[in-house]
Amino acid sequence: MSDTIMIKKYLLLSVVIITCLVFYKTYSIDTSINNKAQLSDIQKIYFPTLEKIDTAIVDINNIKDLFVRFVTMGDDSALTEINNIQKELNGSLLEINGIQSKYQKETNEIISELNQYIKLGISASSILQEHQLNPPKNKEYLILEIKIYDMNSKLKSLNNRINTFRSNIYKNFIATLNNANSTANQVVNFEIFETAFILLIVIFIVYFSHQNISLPALRKAYSL
C-alpha cells in the first residue's frame, strides 16, 4: 500500500512539474514574440523617422543660408534650390505620416509652418535685395522690417516645433528600446527556469527509478 501511495505522489508531482514547465514555456514564447515586435518597431519605425527629422533640421538651416546667399550675392539659383528642398522636405515629412500615423497632426503642422516660412522668406529677401540697389523710403523700410521680423519669428517657431517633435520621438524610441531590453532579460530568466524544471524532472526520474517500485504495485496504482 505504501508503494501505491508513493507512486501516486510521484505521479502528482510529475504532473505539477510538467504543467509549470508548459506554462513557463508558453509565457517565454509570448515574451519572445513581443520582444521581436518591439525590435521591429525600432528598425522599421523609429530609425527612419528620426533620420527624416534630422535631415529636415539640416535642410531648414540650409534654406536659411540660401536666403542669405540670394540677398547678399544676388544669386537667383538660390531660390530654385530652396524650392527643390521644400518639395523634398514636404514629401519626406509626409512619409512620416505613413510610418507613424499617430504623429500626423505634428507633421502637418511642421509642413504648414515650413511653407509659411519659405513664403515669408522669399518675400522679405526679394524686397531686401531690391532695396540694396534702391534705398527704401521710411514707409517701405518699415514694411521691410516687419517682413524680416515675421520671417525670423517663423523660423524660430519652426525650429522649436521640429526639435520638440524630434525630442518626443526620441523619448518614445528610448522607451521602446528599454522595453525590448527588459523583455529580452525576461526571456533569459524564463530559460533559466525551464532548465531548472527540466533538471528537476531528471532528478525525479532518477530517484523514482532508484526506488525499484514493483510493476504490480504500479498497475494497482493506476487501477485505483
Side-chain angles (χ1 to χ4, degrees), residues 8-20 201 204:
K8 287 184 177 181
K9 288 182 178 180
Y10 286 147
L11 290 175
L12 179 61
L13 180 60
S14 63
V15 170
V16 172
I17 293 174
I18 294 173
T19 301
C20 291
I201 291 175
F204 164 73

Side-chain angles (χ1 to χ4, degrees), residues 7-112:
I7 291 174
K8 287 184 177 181
K9 288 182 178 180
Y10 286 147
L11 290 175
L12 179 61
L13 180 60
S14 63
V15 170
V16 172
I17 293 174
I18 294 173
T19 301
C20 291
L21 181 60
V22 171
F23 169 78
Y24 280 118
K25 188 63 178 178
T26 302
Y27 194 85
S28 177
I29 292 173
D30 290 340
T31 306
S32 297
I33 293 173
N34 184 42
N35 187 50
K36 289 180 180 179
Q38 290 174 335
L39 293 175
S40 178
D41 286 345
I42 292 173
Q43 182 179 3
K44 295 181 180 179
I45 295 178
Y46 289 104
F47 283 166
T49 302
L50 288 170
E51 182 180 9
K52 291 181 185 300
I53 296 174
D54 288 339
T55 301
I57 292 174
V58 173
D59 286 342
I60 290 171
N61 288 327
N62 289 338
I63 290 174
K64 180 184 68 174
D65 294 338
L66 287 169
F67 277 131
V68 173
R69 193 178 89 187
F70 170 68
V71 173
T72 58
M73 301 177 61
D75 187 358
D76 293 339
S77 66
L79 294 182
T80 302
E81 291 185 46
I82 289 172
N83 288 329
N84 291 336
I85 293 176
Q86 180 183 14
K87 291 178 182 178
E88 292 179 2
L89 259 179
N90 286 340
S92 181
L93 290 169
L94 285 173
E95 287 178 4
I96 294 178
N97 291 342
I99 299 173
Q100 297 203 63
S101 58
K102 64 180 179 180
Y103 295 118
Q104 185 171 355
K105 179 182 177 182
E106 288 85 347
T107 52
N108 288 340
E109 288 174 347
I110 292 173
I111 291 172
S112 175

